[in-house]
Amino acid sequence: MTYIPISPTEREAMLKTIGVESLEALFEAVPARYRFPKLNLPPALTEMEAASLLTEIAASNENTRGDLVSFLGAGMYNHYIPSVVDHILRRGEFYTAYTPYQPEISQGTLQAIFEYQSLMAALTGMELSNASHYDGATAAAESVNMAFANFRGKRRKVVISPTVHPQYRETIRTYTQGMELTLVGDDATADLQAAPEALIPWIDLDTALVIVQYPDFFGRIFDYTRLIDAAHAQGALVCVVANPIALALFKTPGAMGADIVVGEGQPLGIPMWFGGPSLGFFTTRKQYVHKMAGRLVGETVDSRGQRGYVLTLTAREQHIKREKATSNICTNQGLLALASAVYLATVGKTGLKQVANLCYQKAHYAAEELSKIPGVGLCFPQPFFHEFAVCFPKPVAEINEHLLEYGILGGYDLGQDYPALKDHALIAVTEMNSRDEIDLLVEVVKEALS
Amino acid sequence: MTEPTLFELSSPGRAGVTFPQPDVPHFDLPDESLLRDDLPLPELAEVDVVRHYMALSRYNYSVDSGFYPLGSCTMKYNPKVNEDACRLPGFLFTHPLQPIETVQGNLLLMYQMQEWLKEISGFAAVTLQPAAGAHGEFTGVLMMRAYHKARGDHKRVKMLIPDAAHGTNPASAGMLGMTVKVIPSDSRGNVDLDALRAECDETVVGMMLTNPNTLGLFDEHIEEVIKLVRDCGGLMYGDGANLNALLGIVRPGDLGFDVMHFNLHKTFAVPHGGGGPGSGPVGVSQRLADFLPSPLVGIVEEADGETPPLYGFITPKHSIGRMKAFHGHFGGGLVRAYTYIAMHGADGLKDVSQYAVLNANYLAARLRNTFKIPFDRICMHEFVMEGRVEGSDVRALDISKRLMDYNFHPPTNYFPLIVREALMIEPTETENKNTLDAFAEALLKIAEEAKTDPELVKTAPHTTPFGRMDEVKAARELVLCCWLPEGYDSNQ
């Protein structure tokens, strides 16, 4: 009866009003032979016992704030989250509300989403943003749905760079299995050293979408302008999967001519939480707004002449278009979109540039120091942001095991996804890593190799 | 009394949280052609940010502020201990790609969650990966497709969906290019068996059934429905949106469903967050278990004496693939739901459903003499009534808006489509009798007002901070973003 506020006396009065004898009598429509199964679950805990159990479970993990120093990224990053973010998220008015169907009593959520849309458009250099998707991978998959719908299913090819996050590519393949389209460009033999222009020969009049990542999975910064121009020459759309922190420093995908910019919003004030929930952002140009999936908030006025906000263009969505909808999505990541907006508002222009610059400086220091170790080298010569690939003269698993003994979470083993990159690790460095930690990483790698 | 936007509040040179200077030697940024020249984000102090969001929060109605009987959304109370649990550092700050030996707590929690959801639903296997109900639904339909394909059965293209279904059901089937065949309801709100029989042939992928359905009614012929679909080789999909009526009451797996998504944000008290994140695990029968998305959590090394088992990731044999990056909505979804289930146990969960059904039937009993309930029998956790009053042209929307003046959140409007002026009411088990009585009395009063002073109802709400919004203007002008004001000089 933990959260049920009805006394036995009240219950009896209510049953009487309904005209049944007992609670059990309410379930006669349920087939008798299956009714009231005995569930085999552990006995109920009190709040005190549950709090203690959960504390124990959480403590049996090694976390990246007390137990481990992390150099692991690959799509999810250990950044500082200002205190104010969670204080706002803990407001019951935000987290215990639902989708703002009734704008008169949901202006808080609606204006917060409108501002989130504005912040994401400004950050990516695009014209508009939706209210968000589940994560970066599903936002990327939705870009395929949108491009497919944009060409009414007549263009049946998607060109995807091999340096898009492997899990994103896998998610896109899952999403599109019923769609009769082909995904090309990322086969196992693809040259990972090649410039983005190497994708151009794949693009033709049957191509709906080209997908690249920025910085790419190996942390590299490319100017995609020429690739995007070549795609546009064939009439294809281009989606750039971007890291939002990098966008504080680097040329925006919008400025390169991208049609869609998506990405993982987790670096913007959202904890890693063992992988989720996080935030998939999705921005595009005005001309595609009717093909875009997801919730959208627009500005308007109320009956009293006040500025206000509503969910708009809902006719695109599943509850109206049903099987003809571009996507079945019916929520957004509301609270985490709020988190990223609070984060961006708090760190602002200055703070976000500082974070990006700290990531850049520290990652470059780590890369320089690591590549001084005999046998260790950077894989790629191009500029990078806060993540880089290094080759080791030994399996990455062995080095990481050694690092873990010193409480260091080593880089991502690239050989898992790229056979050509056996013994290569992807090292991520953020503002959270001190020079001492980087020096320790270098020392322990040296020791592991000696 | 409108609140300015973050961009309007911005003032050049103001800053909130700032960061330390680099403690490493300086490295030059790459060539300027790779850099951006402006960053048009607002500049605010922390106190500006806090006051802004506090002002916005006051414009919101929420479960913490009052009764929120939004049908099909299960807006139950969100226990506060769950908020603390999911913010423990061991959960917040673990990376999804850490070595499994360093995240045994997370994996144990996920493993037990899979086991508990199996036990609660009667399914053979569960994936925790889907991010929301609609995502779980898409996962389920992908598995149904993969199952038929793996058997070389390529002629199955037709998905059967009742007329009362959620819009996500046809949209999920549509995403996979399936044909949707709508099955009507009979006079008691059940699936029309004759209509269903006529559609059951060798082209059926399966049926997507919400049970209890969106009228809040448990299908009285559920076993016949499932038998018809299975006899023609189809699979039964259960939309778990309404599972709050069934905990410890009946297990969908026992009834013969093959696949069902859970909405942890409805049934297991994960807060709705203003529209997300949700969490939509999916349970399946044995014949679909090999098709689940990868990875699942399993025991990779059995326990040995004092040593506990080692939990890790496993890939089902014919997995449809990955539904998103990483492992699902772990922190915000699974940890909260785990805490909730741990505190309820079997009896507690059964109470949840019994009282959710009690509350719905009690409200229906208090309202049925004034408002028409078209399929009027004992309902489950929600019911649908017609939001209109004889002798008045007041509509369901007006009644909804007027309820706000009585400080209630309105029910779901105009859904399901098969009920005229539908108001779908789901009180949940976490409301007391006084609240239910006050809500019923407000509706009875509004029914009076609809006759004596219809304008009062049609122009409602009157006491909320905002009035009705001009939705046409929003869609026509499409102002979707705001920017820093014209002439804003960030170098000032």
Side-chain angles (χ1 to χ4, degrees), chain A residues 33 36 40 61-62 95 97 102 105 109 115 123 167 174 247 273-274 300 303-304 328 332 360-361, chain B residues 27-28 36 52 60-61 80 86 93-94 102 106 119 134 172 223 249 274-275 322 326 401 464 468 470:
Chain A
R33 61 179 165 144
F36 306 131
N40 180 20
N61 295 317
E62 293 177 50
Y95 83 82
Q102 301 289 348
I105 50 175
T109 297
E115 290 172 354
L123 195 57
Q167 294 198 0
T174 309
L247 296 181
W273 250 342
F274 198 47
T300 187
S303 54
R304 303 165 203 167
N328 75 350
N332 66 337
Y360 181 89
Q361 299 295 334
Chain B
F27 290 82
D28 286 336
R36 80 184 289 170
H52 174 67
N60 263 9
Y61 193 92
K80 299 305 168 197
C86 76
F93 303 119
T94 37
T102 64
N106 291 343
E119 177 64 20
S172 299
E223 289 180 279
I249 305 299
R322 173 178 279 291
F326 311 120
K401 300 298 184 194
T464 53
R468 292 194 195 191
D470 185 344

Side-chain angles (χ1 to χ4, degrees), chain A residues 3 5-6 11 14-15 26-27 29 31 33-37 39-40 44-45 50 54 57-58 60-62 64-65 72-73 76 84 86 90-99 102 104-109 111 114-115 117-119 122-123 134-135 138 167 170-171 174-175 177 247 249-252 272-274 276-277 297-304 306-307 310 312 318 322-323 328 331-335 346 348-349 354-355 360-362 365 368 409 435, chain B residues 2-6 8 16-17 19 23 27-28 30 33-36 39 52 54 56-57 59-64 68 73 75 78-80 83-84 86-87 90-95 98 102-103 105-106 119 134-135 145 165 167-168 170-172 175 218 223 248-249 254 271-276 320 322-326 329-332 342-344 346 355 359 378 380 401 404 429-430 432 461 464-470 474-475 479-482 490:
Chain A
Y3 301 108
I6 292 173
R11 179 189 66 215
M14 292 164 78
L15 287 169
L26 295 167
F27 296 96
R33 61 179 165 144
Y34 299 123
R35 208 185 297 160
F36 306 131
L39 300 182
N40 180 20
L45 303 179
L54 270 292
I57 294 174
S60 67
N61 295 317
E62 293 177 50
T64 60
R65 288 294 158 91
L72 186 56
M76 199 142 270
V84 62
D86 198 46
R90 286 234 190 195
R91 295 292 306 180
E93 296 91 332
F94 285 124
Y95 83 82
T96 73
Y98 191 40
T99 301
Q102 301 289 348
E104 297 87 346
I105 50 175
S106 311
Q107 283 301 304
T109 297
Q111 184 169 335
F114 181 79
E115 290 172 354
Q117 291 175 180
S118 309
L119 291 163
L123 195 57
Y134 307 132
D135 71 351
T138 61
Q167 294 198 0
E170 201 184 328
T171 303
T174 309
Y175 262 60
Q177 23 191 276
L247 296 181
L249 281 184
F250 297 102
K251 184 174 175 179
T252 64
M272 295 190 291
W273 250 342
F274 198 47
V297 172
E299 185 185 304
T300 187
V301 293
D302 75 353
S303 54
R304 303 165 203 167
Q306 306 179 100
R307 181 174 67 187
V310 288
T312 194
Q318 46 77 27
R322 301 179 78 86
E323 69 267 27
N328 75 350
T331 49
N332 66 337
Q333 296 289 90
L335 199 65
T346 305
K349 191 174 105 160
Q354 281 184 311
V355 171
Y360 181 89
Q361 299 295 334
K362 288 168 185 266
Y365 175 69
E368 186 172 88
L409 205 47
R435 180 178 182 152
Chain B
T2 52
E3 169 70 10
T5 66
L6 285 172
E8 288 163 343
V17 171
F19 291 83
D23 56 357
F27 290 82
D28 286 336
S33 67
L34 283 175
L35 304 180
R36 80 184 289 170
L39 185 60
H52 174 67
M54 285 296 291
L56 293 187
S57 76
Y59 295 157
N60 263 9
Y61 193 92
S62 66
V63 173
D64 279 359
Y68 209 129
C73 298
M75 300 301 290
N78 306 124
K80 299 305 168 197
E83 297 308 302
D84 295 337
C86 76
R87 287 170 169 88
F91 298 135
L92 281 180
F93 303 119
T94 37
H95 191 288
Q98 277 183 223
T102 64
V103 283
N106 291 343
E119 177 64 20
H135 202 221
R145 178 179 175 276
T168 52
S172 299
M175 281 172 86
F218 195 95
E223 289 180 279
I249 305 299
D254 292 348
H272 283 69
I320 54 165
R322 173 178 279 291
M323 293 303 298
K324 66 185 291 297
F326 311 120
H329 282 178
F330 175 80
M343 285 182 62
H344 279 77
Y355 281 83
N359 279 0
I378 292 285
M380 294 286 108
K401 300 298 184 194
M404 296 176 191
E429 73 283 2
T430 60
N432 65 35
T464 53
F466 291 83
R468 292 194 195 191
M469 292 288 156
D470 185 344
V479 178
L480 305 173
C481 293
C482 53
S490 54

Side-chain angles (χ1 to χ4, degrees), chain B residues 341-492:
Chain B
I341 297 173
M343 285 182 62
H344 279 77
D347 293 342
L349 291 181
K350 185 178 171 191
D351 279 338
V352 163
S353 289
Q354 288 190 327
Y355 281 83
V357 172
L358 173 76
N359 279 0
N361 278 287
Y362 177 70
L363 260 187
R366 294 231 32 202
L367 294 167
R368 71 161 48 91
N369 292 334
T370 307
F371 294 94
K372 185 177 172 195
I373 299 179
F375 301 91
D376 197 7
R377 53 182 169 95
I378 292 285
C379 66
M380 294 286 108
H381 64 307
E382 64 189 358
F383 64 99
V384 181
M385 65 180 204
E386 293 185 1
R388 59 194 189 91
V389 180
E390 282 310 320
S392 168
D393 60 350
V394 155
R395 305 190 56 202
L397 182 74
D398 304 318
I399 294 174
S400 291
K401 300 298 184 194
R402 183 64 180 147
L403 273 170
M404 296 176 191
D405 287 333
Y406 290 92
N407 204 22
F408 293 111
H409 194 284
T412 297
N413 304 169
Y414 300 106
F415 188 82
L417 309 172
I418 55 173
V419 174
R420 195 173 158 193
E421 295 294 319
L423 287 176
M424 184 194 223
I425 301 175
E426 179 180 7
T428 84
E429 73 283 2
T430 60
E431 297 301 330
N432 65 35
K433 183 169 176 291
N434 304 357
T435 302
L436 301 177
D437 284 334
F439 179 72
E441 274 142 31
L443 272 169
L444 299 179
K445 182 117 185 289
I446 294 168
E448 270 308 304
E449 292 169 353
K451 285 186 269 192
T452 56
D453 190 358
E455 277 313 301
L456 178 71
V457 182
K458 284 195 257 179
T459 54
H462 304 284
T463 61
T464 53
F466 291 83
R468 292 194 195 191
M469 292 288 156
D470 185 344
E471 302 196 4
V472 175
K473 177 182 161 77
R476 196 179 49 226
E477 296 177 7
L478 275 190
V479 178
L480 305 173
C481 293
C482 53
W483 312 94
L484 287 171
E486 196 93 15
Y488 183 93
D489 180 4
S490 54
N491 300 318
Q492 217 171 284

Side-chain angles (χ1 to χ4, degrees), chain A residues 34-330:
Chain A
Y34 299 123
R35 208 185 297 160
F36 306 131
K38 180 93 197 78
L39 300 182
N40 180 20
L41 294 172
L45 303 179
T46 61
E47 178 176 317
M48 194 171 100
E49 292 164 319
S52 146
L53 170 69
L54 270 292
T55 303
E56 193 183 309
I57 294 174
S60 67
N61 295 317
E62 293 177 50
N63 75 68
T64 60
R65 288 294 158 91
D67 310 315
L68 299 171
V69 169
S70 175
F71 292 96
L72 186 56
M76 199 142 270
Y77 301 93
N78 184 29
H79 285 291
Y80 182 72
I81 302 172
S83 293
V84 62
V85 176
D86 198 46
H87 282 273
I88 302 296
L89 295 197
R90 286 234 190 195
R91 295 292 306 180
E93 296 91 332
F94 285 124
Y95 83 82
T96 73
Y98 191 40
T99 301
Y101 290 123
Q102 301 289 348
E104 297 87 346
I105 50 175
S106 311
Q107 283 301 304
T109 297
L110 285 161
Q111 184 169 335
I113 297 175
F114 181 79
E115 290 172 354
Y116 160 83
Q117 291 175 180
S118 309
L119 291 163
M120 294 319 295
L123 195 57
T124 55
M126 299 298 280
E127 289 169 351
L128 61 93
S129 160
N130 72 11
S132 70
H133 287 281
Y134 307 132
D135 71 351
T138 61
E142 292 284 2
S143 79
V144 177
N145 284 337
M146 182 181 120
F148 196 69
N150 184 60
F151 297 108
R152 297 190 176 79
K154 288 193 180 104
R155 288 183 176 230
R156 301 195 162 269
K157 192 160 114 182
V158 172
V159 178
I160 186 161
S161 162
T163 73
V164 170
H165 195 301
Q167 294 198 0
Y168 288 33
R169 288 184 282 125
E170 201 184 328
T171 303
I172 292 169
R173 285 197 158 81
T174 309
Y175 262 60
T176 55
Q177 23 191 276
M179 281 168 66
E180 287 178 45
L181 54 77
T182 45
L183 273 88
V184 297
D186 69 334
D187 52 278
T189 59
D191 178 8
L192 301 172
Q193 293 286 352
E197 289 75 18
L199 288 174
I200 293 175
W202 289 105
I203 306 169
D204 58 20
L205 292 172
D206 194 34
T207 305
L209 185 68
V210 179
I211 309 176
V212 291
Q213 186 170 321
Y214 181 71
D216 74 0
F217 188 59
F218 307 123
R220 296 178 295 181
I221 297 288
F222 290 108
D223 188 336
Y224 289 118
T225 306
R226 279 180 55 208
L227 173 69
I228 292 171
D229 288 347
H232 287 168
Q234 300 288 341
L237 304 186
V238 178
C239 170
V240 177
V241 180
N243 178 311
I245 302 280
L247 296 181
L249 281 184
F250 297 102
K251 184 174 175 179
T252 64
M256 297 176 192
D259 303 288
I260 305 167
V261 184
V262 301
E264 176 52 66
Q266 178 271 329
L268 304 175
I270 298 169
M272 295 190 291
W273 250 342
F274 198 47
S278 57
L279 170 73
F281 63 84
F282 192 113
T283 64
T284 185
R285 300 192 182 279
K286 272 188 184 141
Q287 67 198 97
Y288 302 119
V289 66
H290 292 273
K291 299 291 178 197
M292 180 174 68
R295 289 265 147 91
L296 203 51
V297 172
E299 185 185 304
T300 187
V301 293
D302 75 353
S303 54
R304 303 165 203 167
Q306 306 179 100
R307 181 174 67 187
Y309 304 90
V310 288
L311 292 173
T312 194
L313 294 192
T314 53
R316 299 168 299 122
E317 294 185 53
Q318 46 77 27
H319 61 281
I320 312 271
K321 280 191 99 175
R322 301 179 78 86
E323 69 267 27
K324 301 213 164 41
T326 307
S327 166
N328 75 350
I329 192 163
C330 53

Side-chain angles (χ1 to χ4, degrees), chain A residues 366-379 388-394 399 423 425 427 442 445-446 449:
Chain A
E368 186 172 88
E369 294 300 310
L370 279 171
S371 49
K372 285 179 187 164
I373 304 172
V376 178
L378 295 188
C379 284
F388 56 91
V390 286
C391 60
F392 290 124
K394 233 179 162 175
I399 291 166
D423 301 343
I427 309 275
V442 174
V445 169
K446 265 188 212 161
L449 294 178

Side-chain angles (χ1 to χ4, degrees), chain B residues 115-178:
Chain B
E115 294 299 306
W116 290 356
L117 292 179
K118 279 157 66 175
E119 177 64 20
I120 288 165
S121 62
F123 286 110
V126 164
T127 170
L128 304 173
Q129 198 174 88
H135 202 221
E137 220 181 277
F138 185 43
T139 307
V141 179
L142 278 167
M143 286 190 277
M144 292 164 81
R145 178 179 175 276
Y147 170 82
H148 292 306
K149 257 188 90 177
R151 293 158 46 93
D153 194 348
H154 297 290
K155 56 191 180 303
R156 295 191 179 267
V157 292
K158 185 166 73 177
M159 187 67 90
L160 309 177
I161 299 180
D163 55 5
H166 295 114
T168 52
N169 293 171
S172 299
M175 281 172 86
L176 288 168
M178 294 171 185

